[in-house]
Amino acid sequence: MEQKRKLSHTAYGGIKGEDYIPFVPTSEAMPETTLVSIAIGCIFAIIFAAANVYLGLQVGLTIAAGIPASILGAGMLKIIFKRNNILEANMIQSIASMGESIAGGIIFTLPAIIMWGMKLSLTTIVICTSLGGLLGILFVVPFRKYLIVEQHGELVFPEGMAASEVLVTGMEGGSGFKTVMTGLLGGGIYKFFSSGLALWKEAPEWTIAPMQNTIFGFNAMASIAGVGYIVGIEVALYMFGGALVAWLGLIPLIKYVGAGLAVPLFPSTELIANMDAWAIWSKYIRYIGAGAVAAGGFISLGRSLPTIIRSFKTAMAGVGGSKEGNANLKRTDIDTPMSWVLGGAVLVFLLCWLLPGLRLGAIGSILVVLFSFFFAVVSARMAGIIGVSNNPVSGMTIATLLFVTAVLKATGYTGNAGMLVAITAGAIVCIGIAVAGGAAQSLKTTYIIGGTPKKVEWGMYIGLVVASVAAGGVLLMLNATYGMGTKAIPAPQAMLMSMVVKGVMTAQLPWALVFVGAIIGIFCALAGLPILPVALGLYLPIHLSAAVLFGGIIRTLVDKKFQNNEAQKKLQTERGILLSSGLVAGDALMGIVVAILTAIKIGGDTVAAKIMIGPKLIPALAGSSWTALVTFLILGLWIYRFSSKVEEVAK
């Protein structure tokens, strides 16, 4: 068929939802669920799940998969398979977006099991993801028509509409595919040189002697620079500000005050006088940062409470959508039957109760289904209001864990066994919350483009089950290689969730430090500052925040270059974001390869150690922090030049 050049203005509202004519009208029949679309979608879901697990455990942030997957999917269909089918491309991006959703749900909760010294298996990760993902998708189904069709133009679904625009322009052709692939290749090569060959340090740092020997440094990683470009200068500055408070304020203060103590100060078992900056960060600062993150989650949840209650009430009022008969349904109205939704909820309840790998019991299983239902409905509507990236998943998960842990403790679940049941139940709910928001966004895109909701719903489920294996494998491999909760893999949200559960169960935490962090979070709220970026800066090593700021500065420079031409500025910003998405994915995938090589031993030494030629050939340069600084600046210059290069003149 002859494609239109752009979406109709009615895609953004102005008419009743049932009167909207999608980009591909229902009168036109096109393949949608094909072997090609399912296979490519699953491959991208695996890639973005693995990349986001790797990135999220390091930085506490994930990147959106929908837009780069739309570009890559459309490009592969056109270039490799010679197809110009936007419904297949929509299926690909919908499945791929599940990789991002499940990654967030997994890394927020399940690493806590490892931090407690317990065993976390791949089977447990896959089961939790499959059950939570099933609830997340199914509980959106009864509200899909109400939230997406009947509230067309009222709920904006910002990322869903952005993906729709990208799909349309992507099928028209353009340089987007090439840009993402360039970033993918560039990020992979940079990572191989730094981490694989060890030609320069990945975390250069300098000791500041006058400030109690605290440390300043940055992560010379393409992925972190890419994240900085994507989130922009404002978020980057807030993160860096939090890091300055921690590393140039609190660490020197703790070292200065504690230097004369003759006994260790809880929770450390070592004298403060003998601790370096990293040890003080590990034993004290992380609890302060976790308190700030928790305060941010609660404040975000509190601010959203009126919207949450209203969302739930209005969504419940529209349960099932229109009451029209099923005869002669249009493609865009075909949904998963309600009997499947109810059957799926019962199935998840029974599996949570009876599967020996979960051991949630009747009470835990009931709580999983109830909290998943409530927060999945909320998450779907919040995605329509503020988008998936701003969805307060962590706040909803904290609220779930507090209630579930308290109930379990009151009903006889105590100690490590009770903590394990609580975090497992919380993980299933958290994954359901994250998946529900992502599914709602993709179903909005499906509605705008003209796809079949039922096919997309089950395509997404296939993708999340397949991707859960990759996500779980990466998580376990990173733990085996670097250790969960270390400075290499700090896993900030999971540390917070572990503290919430352990705090309720045992009350053996340094609450004074947690409350100090909470007060800092409250101060941010009172001062009108966004709490989460500041809290992440407090919690994470300053190296991460400095590198994120570097990426944010590059984006600012690109924006300033085109500040007098708003349309061109938008084009160049999108070009930079696509490049950065590729950088993140390329860096993360090569990082996973290096981690695998680190785990494989040949002749008593790891493969990774054998290929690290930097310290052998150029030890002075490879070991110098200044070498890493120079290479990182070169990377930044390349990102700037590529992002600001004009390939398409705005009209």
Side-chain angles (χ1 to χ4, degrees), residues 61-149:
L61 300 170
T62 57
I63 60 162
I67 291 176
S70 299
I71 290 286
L72 292 172
M76 288 188 70
L77 286 175
K78 288 173 71 71
I79 296 169
I80 299 176
F81 297 97
K82 309 301 181 186
R83 303 190 190 192
N84 195 32
N85 185 340
I86 196 169
L87 294 188
E88 282 186 300
N90 175 61
M91 179 65 74
I92 290 170
Q93 76 84 20
S94 298
I95 296 173
S97 67
M98 288 294 101
E100 173 206 354
S101 296
I102 65 166
I106 290 170
I107 64 175
F108 275 21
T109 50
L110 290 174
I113 297 174
I114 298 173
M115 293 173 181
W116 293 331
M118 303 181 200
K119 181 176 175 57
L120 175 64
S121 68
L122 180 61
T123 303
T124 300
I125 297 173
V126 173
I127 291 174
C128 288
T129 306
S130 300
L131 296 180
L134 182 62
L135 292 179
I137 291 174
L138 288 180
F139 285 155
V140 172
V141 171
F143 309 98
R144 183 199 66 83
K145 191 165 187 179
Y146 177 74
L147 296 176
I148 293 173
V149 180

Side-chain angles (χ1 to χ4, degrees), residues 65 205 253 267 301 309 333 337 408 551 583 607 610 629 646:
E205 60 186 33
L253 180 63
L301 193 63
I309 295 171
D333 290 332
L408 289 173
L583 283 172
V607 176
K610 291 180 181 296
L629 176 60
V646 177

Side-chain angles (χ1 to χ4, degrees), residues 166-390:
V166 168
L167 281 172
V168 172
T169 56
M171 296 313 295
E172 287 292 330
S175 59
F177 179 81
K178 179 182 175 182
T179 300
V180 176
M181 293 306 296
T182 300
L184 195 75
L185 185 62
I189 292 173
Y190 189 88
K191 183 71 172 182
F192 182 71
F193 283 166
S194 62
S195 183
L197 301 182
L199 296 179
W200 58 82
K201 287 183 173 183
E202 280 207 312
E205 60 186 33
W206 295 264
T207 300
I208 307 175
M211 299 189 69
Q212 300 294 321
N213 288 321
T214 192
I215 289 170
F216 178 81
F218 64 92
N219 283 107
M221 298 170 63
S223 59
I224 313 299
V227 168
Y229 193 101
I230 292 169
V231 302
I233 189 65
E234 187 173 354
V235 171
L237 282 171
Y238 288 128
M239 284 187 67
F240 188 67
L244 286 179
V245 170
W247 287 80
L248 301 185
L250 295 176
I251 289 178
L253 180 63
I254 291 171
K255 182 74 172 180
Y256 177 76
V257 173
L261 293 179
V263 293
L265 180 65
F266 180 78
S268 176
T269 57
E270 184 181 0
L271 288 175
I272 289 178
N274 299 332
M275 298 170 71
D276 61 10
W278 279 111
I280 293 173
W281 168 79
S282 176
K283 295 300 183 181
Y284 300 107
I285 301 302
R286 289 200 297 178
Y287 290 103
I288 296 173
V293 173
F298 280 121
I299 291 171
S300 173
L301 193 63
R303 287 172 172 171
S304 303
L305 202 57
T307 306
I308 287 173
I309 295 171
R310 188 165 58 250
S311 296
F312 189 76
K313 286 182 177 179
T314 53
M316 289 300 294
V319 65
S322 175
K323 305 300 181 186
E324 296 172 2
N326 292 329
N328 302 316
L329 275 179
K330 296 184 293 184
R331 178 180 70 232
T332 51
D333 290 332
I334 300 175
D335 241 322
T336 298
M338 278 298 296
S339 58
W340 290 27
V341 175
L342 295 173
V346 172
L347 177 64
V348 171
F349 165 74
L350 292 174
L351 291 176
C352 287
W353 185 8
L354 301 175
L355 277 179
L358 297 181
R359 301 187 296 275
L360 299 188
I363 295 174
S365 302
I366 291 173
L367 292 174
V368 163
V369 175
L370 289 178
F371 274 92
S372 294
F373 176 72
F374 178 78
F375 282 131
V377 175
V378 170
S379 181
R381 195 165 191 272
M382 294 292 281
I385 298 170
I386 57 176
V388 172
S389 300
N390 298 309

Side-chain angles (χ1 to χ4, degrees), residues 282-533:
S282 176
K283 295 300 183 181
Y284 300 107
I285 301 302
R286 289 200 297 178
Y287 290 103
I288 296 173
V293 173
F298 280 121
I299 291 171
S300 173
L301 193 63
R303 287 172 172 171
S304 303
L305 202 57
T307 306
I308 287 173
I309 295 171
R310 188 165 58 250
S311 296
F312 189 76
K313 286 182 177 179
T314 53
M316 289 300 294
V319 65
S322 175
K323 305 300 181 186
E324 296 172 2
N326 292 329
N328 302 316
L329 275 179
K330 296 184 293 184
R331 178 180 70 232
T332 51
D333 290 332
I334 300 175
D335 241 322
T336 298
M338 278 298 296
S339 58
W340 290 27
V341 175
L342 295 173
V346 172
L347 177 64
V348 171
F349 165 74
L350 292 174
L351 291 176
C352 287
W353 185 8
L354 301 175
L355 277 179
L358 297 181
R359 301 187 296 275
L360 299 188
I363 295 174
S365 302
I366 291 173
L367 292 174
V368 163
V369 175
L370 289 178
F371 274 92
S372 294
F373 176 72
F374 178 78
F375 282 131
V377 175
V378 170
S379 181
R381 195 165 191 272
M382 294 292 281
I385 298 170
I386 57 176
V388 172
S389 300
N390 298 309
N391 209 349
V393 174
S394 60
M396 291 186 270
T397 304
I398 292 170
T400 299
L401 284 173
L402 282 172
F403 187 86
V404 168
T405 307
V407 170
L408 289 173
K409 185 177 180 180
T411 53
Y413 289 85
T414 57
N416 287 345
M419 288 162 54
L420 183 60
V421 171
I423 200 68
T424 304
I428 296 173
V429 174
C430 181
I431 291 165
I433 294 169
V435 166
Q441 285 285 10
S442 293
L443 288 170
K444 176 66 174 183
T445 305
T446 300
Y447 164 71
I448 295 298
I449 298 300
T452 308
K454 181 180 178 180
K455 292 180 179 179
V456 169
E457 287 154 9
W458 290 102
M460 288 190 292
Y461 188 66
I462 293 170
L464 73 85
V465 171
V466 171
S468 69
V469 179
V474 170
L475 188 154
L476 296 176
M477 182 182 61
L478 290 175
N479 176 60
T481 306
Y482 305 110
M484 199 62 59
T486 62
K487 66 180 182 180
I489 306 293
Q493 286 92 346
M495 175 63 77
L496 170 62
M497 303 305 169
S498 73
M499 290 172 58
V500 169
V501 174
K502 192 172 183 179
V504 174
M505 281 288 182
T506 68
Q508 293 180 350
L509 285 174
W511 287 107
L513 297 176
V514 175
F515 287 138
V516 167
I519 293 300
I520 294 175
I522 293 170
F523 161 75
C524 291
L526 294 175
L529 304 175
I531 305 170
L532 187 57

